[in-house]
């Protein structure tokens, strides 16, 4: 991931994720789900470890949106971990993959249409480049496969 503005980087990630979703839905690429799961593992990591914490500090008014986006990440992580353990011929594989894709598309739409425009207006260009550099660093050490959230993370989500 080349270093640039954080929003530009994340929108580029959205394009790749949308391409993989489209490829699966059209039946063009049987490996699309595996590729999507890898992309989502990296994307989730850099957002939750890099973008969201920094934006919460620089634009605290975005916190309610970020909390909702984190919950979507949690749901997507659970589905991704389950899909990762399944085979494409399993009876619920396609339904689970499509549900994950629907959640991810909704998530990206919220970021593109609600979060990113607000962040672009509230956060300076220099800060967005610094966040972008940090996201690039994080992407190099991000997990390459989904992980099942711990029971404590699940209980924390239920309690919230």
């Amino acid at each position: 991931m080349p270093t640039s503005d954080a929003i530009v980087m994340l929108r580029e990630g959205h394009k790749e994720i949308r391409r993989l979703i489209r490829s699966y839905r059209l039946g063009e690429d049987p490996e699309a789900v595996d590729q999507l799961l890898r992309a989502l593992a990296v994307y989730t990591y850099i957002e939750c470890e890099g973008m969201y914490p920094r934006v919460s500090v620089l634009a605290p008014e975005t916190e309610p949106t970020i909390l909702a986006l984190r919950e979507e990440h949690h749901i997507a992580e659970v589905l991704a971990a389950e899909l990762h353990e399944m085979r494409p011929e399993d009876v619920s594989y396609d339904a689970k993959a499509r549900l994950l894709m629907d959640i991810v598309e909704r998530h990206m739409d919220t970021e593109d249409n609600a979060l990113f425009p607000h962040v672009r207006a509230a956060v300076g260009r220099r800060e967005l480049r610094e966040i972008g550099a940090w996201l690039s660093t994080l992407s190099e050490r991000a997990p390459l496969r989904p992980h099942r959230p711990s029971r404590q993370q699940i209980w924390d989500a239920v309690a919230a």
Side-chain angles (χ1 to χ4, degrees), residues 20 31-44 84 142-146:
L20 291 167
E31 298 295 317
V33 171
D34 288 336
Q35 293 171 17
L36 177 64
L37 294 178
R38 281 191 296 276
L40 290 176
V42 172
Y43 193 80
T44 296
H84 182 69
L144 298 178
R145 61 187 178 127

Side-chain angles (χ1 to χ4, degrees), residues 44-69:
T44 296
Y45 182 78
I46 68 173
E47 276 194 344
C48 291
E49 298 298 319
M51 183 70 167
Y52 296 162
R54 194 70 188 122
V55 167
S56 292
V57 170
L58 295 171
E61 65 278 7
T62 63
E63 188 63 26
T65 302
I66 289 173
L67 287 173
L69 291 169

Side-chain angles (χ1 to χ4, degrees), residues 91-110:
V91 68
S92 62
Y93 184 89
D94 184 63
K96 197 172 297 265
R98 290 178 185 276
L99 178 60
L100 173 62
M101 291 172 192
D102 290 346
I103 290 167
V104 169
E105 285 178 320
R106 173 182 150 44
H107 178 87
M108 292 185 300
D109 289 344
T110 301

